[in-house]
């Protein structure tokens, strides 16, 4: 579960908060754009802490699953004591307050890489792959529409008519503008070689479905479909029926 809240650690600002469970351990991460604080605590220890501060509450693993790991709304607080951050997450379950406490320390360089930088890069590469797949799908749809038109189909509802997808124009007119960067990530993502190297570094594998899509050749170009009378005569000779209604051109 990942949340975002305003806290005061070294400075006041917005921090990410993340809880996860692996085997019998709970990991608490608090991070901003510069640093990451962490505690990995055994589940039994976290339950013991809760019972010490509230003996009347029967704290169990199921209770932790329902609050800390379920994405419930929480109130967070943090106090810096020496080099540690005393972090608390307070929940209300059936109007009953439940508070879990953690003692966070600043993460090492290796932990920052493992828990923060690499996940960001993996997400970035996945989103880039999704965008590329969607762009190819749009191009195939445009070719499909052009083929329908070449076979005599017409669009009755012109209000749903769209222009042919222009990838260059789409990227230029995208509403988010990036500031000047010391490392221009776009150059790495645009290169097949660099993306392949990044995937190996980040221990990512390309799914069989995406590789099949990448290896699929696009159909004949739009102009060839529209300007080939012999193809159209052949269609008519074999009794191919032309589509007259074309209400839905994009699926």
């Amino acid at each position: 579960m990942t949340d975002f809240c305003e806290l005061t650690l070294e400075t006041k600002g917005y921090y990410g908060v993340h809880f996860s469970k692996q085997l019998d351990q709970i990991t608490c991460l608090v991070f901003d754009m510069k640093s990451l604080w962490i505690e990995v605590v055994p589940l039994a220890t976290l339950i013991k802490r809760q019972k010490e501060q509230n003996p009347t509450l029967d704290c169990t693993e199921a209770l932790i699953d329902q609050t800390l790991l379920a994405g419930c709304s929480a109130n967070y607080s943090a106090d810096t004591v020496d080099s540690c951050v005393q972090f608390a997450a307070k929940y209300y379950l059936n109007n009953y307050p439940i508070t879990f406490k953690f003692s966070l320390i600043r993460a090492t360089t290796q932990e920052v890489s493992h828990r923060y930088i690499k996940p960001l890069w993996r997400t970035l590469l996945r989103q880039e792959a999704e965008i590329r797949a969607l762009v190819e799908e749009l191009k195939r749809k445009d070719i499909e529409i052009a083929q329908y038109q070449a076979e005599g189909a017409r669009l009755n509802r012109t209000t749903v008519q769209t222009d042919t997808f222009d990838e260059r124009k789409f990227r230029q007119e995208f509403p988010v503008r990036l500031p000047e960067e010391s490392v221009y990530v776009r150059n790495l993502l645009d290169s097949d070689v660099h993306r392949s190297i990044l995937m190996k570094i980040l221990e990512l594998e390309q799914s069989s479905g995406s590789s099949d899509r990448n290896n699929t050749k696009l159909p004949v170009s739009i102009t060839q479909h529209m300007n080939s009378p012999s193809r159209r005569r052949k269609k008519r000779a074999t009794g191919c029926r032309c589509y007259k209604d074309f209400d839905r051109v994009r699926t």
Side-chain angles (χ1 to χ4, degrees):
M1 190 282 296
T2 305
D3 205 351
F4 206 54
C5 63
E6 189 173 17
L7 291 171
T8 300
L9 274 68
E10 293 178 343
T11 58
K12 185 177 181 179
Y14 285 94
Y15 292 81
V17 178
H18 178 74
F19 302 105
S20 62
K21 180 172 70 172
Q22 186 173 13
L23 300 178
D24 61 344
Q25 292 184 322
I26 299 292
T27 299
C28 174
L29 300 175
V30 177
F31 55 90
D32 61 3
M33 296 299 168
K34 298 180 294 183
S35 303
L36 182 145
W37 291 264
I38 182 174
E39 184 184 24
V40 180
V41 56
L43 189 61
T45 301
L46 189 62
I47 291 174
K48 182 180 178 181
R49 289 179 187 174
Q50 175 61 42
K51 288 183 176 180
E52 287 175 350
Q53 64 178 340
N54 190 352
T56 62
L57 177 65
D58 184 19
C59 184
T60 62
E61 182 176 356
L63 183 64
I64 293 174
D65 290 340
Q66 294 174 30
T67 53
L68 205 65
L69 302 174
C72 299
S73 178
N75 295 323
Y76 303 109
S77 61
D79 293 310
T80 302
V81 180
D82 296 329
S83 59
C84 291
V85 174
Q86 301 302 319
F87 180 75
K90 186 175 183 179
Y91 300 87
Y92 287 90
L93 190 62
N94 296 327
N95 294 324
Y96 193 87
I98 304 169
T99 302
F100 297 100
K101 293 185 176 181
F102 298 87
S103 295
L104 308 177
I105 60 173
R106 187 181 292 273
T108 64
T109 303
Q110 291 79 7
E111 287 171 332
V112 172
S113 174
H114 173 66
R115 300 182 182 274
Y116 193 19
I117 297 176
K118 285 185 176 180
L120 283 175
W121 270 106
R122 290 181 181 124
T123 302
L124 190 61
L125 281 170
R126 178 179 175 85
Q127 289 182 338
E128 176 67 16
E130 290 173 349
I131 291 171
R132 288 175 178 273
L134 286 172
V135 166
E136 292 305 314
E137 187 67 20
L138 285 171
K139 291 178 179 178
R140 280 191 287 268
K141 290 295 182 183
D142 281 337
I143 293 173
E144 180 182 356
I145 291 169
Q147 178 62 31
Y148 288 147
Q149 293 171 338
E151 293 175 359
R154 58 187 176 85
L155 185 65
N156 290 333
R157 292 186 297 166
T158 57
T159 55
V160 299
Q161 186 172 358
T162 59
D163 296 329
T164 302
F165 178 70
D166 186 333
E167 182 181 359
R168 184 183 61 82
K169 183 179 178 182
F170 170 76
R171 292 186 180 275
Q172 287 180 345
E173 296 182 355
F174 201 76
V176 176
R177 298 293 181 184
L178 298 178
E180 292 294 329
E181 298 172 293
S182 57
V183 177
Y184 194 57
V185 176
R186 181 81 261 163
N187 288 344
L188 298 178
L189 297 178
D190 285 342
S191 167
D192 293 339
V193 175
H194 294 335
R195 286 200 312 275
S196 177
I197 293 173
L198 281 170
M199 289 184 68
K200 290 179 181 178
I201 293 173
L202 297 168
E203 301 172 348
L204 292 175
E205 293 183 0
Q206 190 175 38
S207 65
S208 58
S210 62
S211 62
D212 291 343
R213 284 194 299 270
N214 291 337
N215 293 331
T216 301
K217 293 183 179 179
L218 289 176
V220 183
S221 67
I222 295 176
T223 54
Q224 184 173 345
H225 275 304
M226 298 182 67
N227 300 327
S228 177
S230 61
R231 181 183 294 272
R232 296 184 64 181
R233 284 197 298 271
K234 184 177 180 181
K235 289 284 186 180
R236 285 195 292 269
T238 56
C240 179
R241 180 173 60 88
C242 292
Y243 296 97
K244 297 300 181 183
D245 292 324
F246 194 41
D247 284 342
R248 298 182 64 186
V249 296
R250 291 186 183 272
T251 59

